[in-house]
Amino acid sequence: MRFRQLELVRYGGFADRVFDFGVGGPDLHLVVGPNEAGKSTALQAIGDFLFGIPSQSRQNWRYDYGQLRLRALIEQDGTLLDITRRKGNRDTLLTADGTPFRTDPLAPLLGGIDRAGFDRVFGLDHAKLGAKSASRRSARGHATNSISRFDWARSRDAPPRRPCRSSATTY
């Protein structure tokens, strides 16, 4: 499963905001920007799209719960899925024409991972990065090492890796 696009139709402070990840190609995307640009909102939107918008979502401060919508174009094995997630208790996944899916099209693509697992593995934010760094420092007994210095020192002597294609897009 690969996101081609993620649209914050009505979510948090955003309306019709599209993150376009392109067709195929590089699959590592870093979202960077100043404070209050929407980086954490975009990360939460990915989780809410995949697993459902929680009943007590913090993203309803501009739009009522009934208006919250996320849309994504998902690539899977040569197929393109156009899916909209709305806030609600049932029938929250909608086809491109607005009718509910009969079965959840995302569940088989997630390979059994739940929201907590997704957040732990893929939802790296500033707070989690700091916690991982602190955990590494205490585990190694070196309070002065930073995660970046540790990773740089370890990779400095490693054999060269094959070139990595990268892409940067400003949203």
Side-chain angles (χ1 to χ4, degrees), residues 103-144:
T103 60
D104 182 347
L106 297 174
L109 306 179
L110 293 170
I113 194 168
D114 62 4
R115 179 71 181 251
F118 173 83
D119 288 343
R120 190 173 46 256
V121 174
F122 299 107
L124 187 63
D125 61 13
H126 187 265
K128 290 177 190 162
L129 182 61
K132 285 182 184 292
S133 177
S135 172
R136 263 195 179 167
R137 284 193 308 265
S138 66
R140 295 187 76 232
H142 298 286
T144 58

Side-chain angles (χ1 to χ4, degrees), residues 16-162:
D16 304 317
R17 181 68 166 146
V18 176
F19 294 88
D20 188 334
F21 301 108
V23 178
D27 286 330
L28 173 63
H29 298 274
L30 301 175
V31 178
V32 297
N35 291 343
E36 301 300 318
K39 301 176 300 292
S40 296
T41 301
L43 178 59
Q44 187 174 357
I46 293 170
D48 284 356
F49 174 79
L50 293 172
F51 302 101
I53 302 171
S55 60
Q56 297 297 315
S57 175
R58 297 174 301 169
Q59 300 301 334
N60 73 323
W61 57 272
R62 182 173 175 193
Y63 303 101
D64 292 332
Y65 278 143
Q67 294 179 299
L68 295 182
R69 297 277 189 286
L70 297 164
R71 178 178 168 260
L73 297 178
I74 303 289
E75 296 175 359
Q76 177 65 27
D77 295 330
T79 302
L80 187 63
L81 300 170
D82 185 340
I83 304 171
T84 297
R85 169 81 72 180
R86 69 173 187 84
K87 168 92 176 78
N89 294 322
R90 61 187 178 113
D91 296 331
T92 62
L93 291 173
L94 309 174
T95 64
D97 67 6
T99 59
F101 280 95
R102 292 177 193 243
T103 60
D104 182 347
L106 297 174
L109 306 179
L110 293 170
I113 194 168
D114 62 4
R115 179 71 181 251
F118 173 83
D119 288 343
R120 190 173 46 256
V121 174
F122 299 107
L124 187 63
D125 61 13
H126 187 265
K128 290 177 190 162
L129 182 61
K132 285 182 184 292
S133 177
S135 172
R136 263 195 179 167
R137 284 193 308 265
S138 66
R140 295 187 76 232
H142 298 286
T144 58
N145 278 347
S146 72
I147 190 169
S148 61
R149 187 166 43 189
F150 173 76
D151 287 343
W152 176 82
R154 184 178 56 177
S155 65
R156 180 179 59 190
D157 299 321
R161 296 180 183 167
R162 62 174 220 230

